[in-house]
Amino acid sequence: MSDNSAAPSIGLLLSGGVDSAVLLGELLQHGGRVVPFYVRTGCVWQTQELAAVNRFLSQVARPNLAPLVQFEMPLGDLYGEHWSITGKQVPDDHTRDEAVFLPGRNPLLLIKPALWCLANRIERLALATLAANPFRDATPEFFARFEAMLAAATGRRMEIV
C-alpha cells in the first residue's frame, strides 16, 4: 500500500452519474487524496442523485477518498417554474440538448466547492463534462475565465480540470 499523505489532493464534483463516477475511479487510481463534493440544488432529481452518490462512495471507499462534502445552493428562487425544479414537462431522450439547458449551472455548482478547496489548500477541482456538451459554461474558455475570476477574487490560483 502506498502512502498518499504527501500526494496532492484534488476536489471532485460528484453527481452520482456515470461520468463523475468514472472520473472518481480514475483519480483514486492516480493516488492523490480525492475530496468529493455534492451541491444540493433542490432540482427534482436530487434525492435519487444523492442516494446514488452515497451508494457509490460506500462501494469505492479507500484511505485516499475523503468524506463527501455537501453544499446548499438552492435554485428554486432562480429557476422558478423551470422543469428542473417543478418536474413538469421534463425533456426526454428524444429532446434536443438545448431543452436541457440550465442557465449558469456550472458556475453555480463550482463556486462553493472551489472556495472550499482554496480555503483548504486544494488547488485543483475536477468535474466530468461531456465532450459533446453544447453549453457555453462547459468550454475550456469558460473554465479558464472561471479560474481567472477566482484568482482575482481570492488572490490564489485554482485549476479546473
Side-chain angles (χ1 to χ4, degrees), residues 8-131:
S9 294
I10 185 169
L12 170 67
L13 291 178
L14 189 62
S15 70
V18 173
D19 302 312
S20 64
V22 169
L23 182 55
L24 174 60
E26 292 286 322
L27 293 172
L28 289 171
Q29 283 185 340
H30 290 343
R33 181 173 170 264
V34 181
V35 180
F37 298 103
Y38 184 82
V39 181
R40 299 169 64 95
T41 61
C43 289
V44 293
W45 55 80
Q46 179 177 289
T47 301
Q48 293 82 9
E49 192 175 65
L50 187 53
V53 165
N54 286 317
R55 277 192 310 274
F56 182 68
L57 289 174
S58 70
Q59 294 297 310
V60 299
R62 57 191 67 181
N64 62 327
L65 178 59
L68 181 67
V69 176
Q70 295 185 50
F71 294 105
E72 299 292 329
M73 180 65 79
L75 299 177
D77 57 350
L78 178 63
Y79 286 174
E81 294 298 311
H82 191 270
W83 63 265
S84 63
I85 301 298
T86 66
K88 297 175 185 170
Q89 299 181 331
V90 175
D92 62 20
D93 58 348
H94 301 293
T95 307
R96 294 176 41 128
D97 285 341
E98 291 73 21
V100 299
F101 178 62
L102 298 172
R105 179 169 172 79
N106 280 335
L108 289 166
L109 293 178
L110 283 167
I111 191 62
K112 284 187 175 183
L115 292 172
W116 188 97
C117 284
L118 287 172
N120 288 276
R121 302 198 181 284
I122 297 173
E123 297 176 346
R124 294 186 316 145
L125 179 58
L127 72 161
T129 59
L130 301 174

